[in-house]
Amino acid sequence: MNARRKILLVEDDPDISRGLAIRLKGKGYDVVAAQDATVAMTMALREHPDLVIMDIGLPGGDGHMVMDRLARNTRTAATPVIFLSARAQQSDIQRALDQGAAGYLTKPYRSEELLSMIETVLGGED
């Protein structure tokens, strides 16, 4: 794994965001964070992350809207997105996958499962 991979973490719950950022940094990832949909788009364009991990329920718009905007921007269209959400309804999961999400995990999540998914998504890039 390239230790300099950058992950944009889009999560409005500060406890979840902080805990996940600590885990990801401990695995060698650079982490930048956004707490709402508007900041998420700004950060994605400015930081050029290798991966976005995003909640669906966000202030200023939901994760599906952010995903749609990322996909439409040539600078972020190829950036993979993993949704991490408390929404466990099949309709939310299917919508995310139909939008092109690289993965979808429900909260509460297992760290090992998320880290494995991140490695799978980023593994093919060098």
Side-chain angles (χ1 to χ4, degrees):
M1 176 187 75
N2 179 343
R4 297 283 46 113
R5 293 289 171 88
K6 186 182 292 185
I7 296 176
L8 170 58
L9 178 57
V10 185
E11 171 59 63
D12 62 323
D13 182 314
D15 294 331
I16 293 173
S17 182
R18 196 169 23 258
L20 185 50
I22 289 167
R23 280 187 203 92
L24 293 172
K25 288 176 183 177
K27 291 292 184 181
Y29 295 105
D30 286 335
V31 179
V32 291
Q35 293 75 39
D36 64 48
T38 305
V39 174
M41 282 304 303
T42 301
M43 296 291 284
L45 291 168
R46 186 174 71 210
E47 297 290 336
H48 307 287
D50 297 293
L51 173 68
V52 176
I53 298 174
M54 181 163 45
D55 195 0
I56 290 179
L58 296 168
D62 70 9
H64 294 298
M65 179 200 75
V66 175
M67 172 100 183
D68 186 52
R69 289 185 179 169
L70 290 172
R72 285 198 230 169
N73 189 305
T74 55
R75 291 169 55 198
T76 55
T79 306
V81 175
I82 294 174
F83 279 105
L84 181 62
S85 177
R87 297 185 188 180
Q89 298 91 338
Q90 189 58 41
S91 60
D92 278 307
I93 297 169
Q94 193 58 53
R95 180 176 175 193
L97 297 175
D98 288 347
Q99 282 185 288
Y104 193 108
L105 290 176
T106 56
K107 296 175 190 171
Y109 67 96
R110 288 184 22 250
S111 294
E112 308 78 38
E113 190 175 6
L114 177 59
L115 291 169
S116 175
M117 187 176 286
I118 291 167
E119 288 172 18
T120 298
V121 170
L122 293 179
E125 302 173 8
D126 273 334

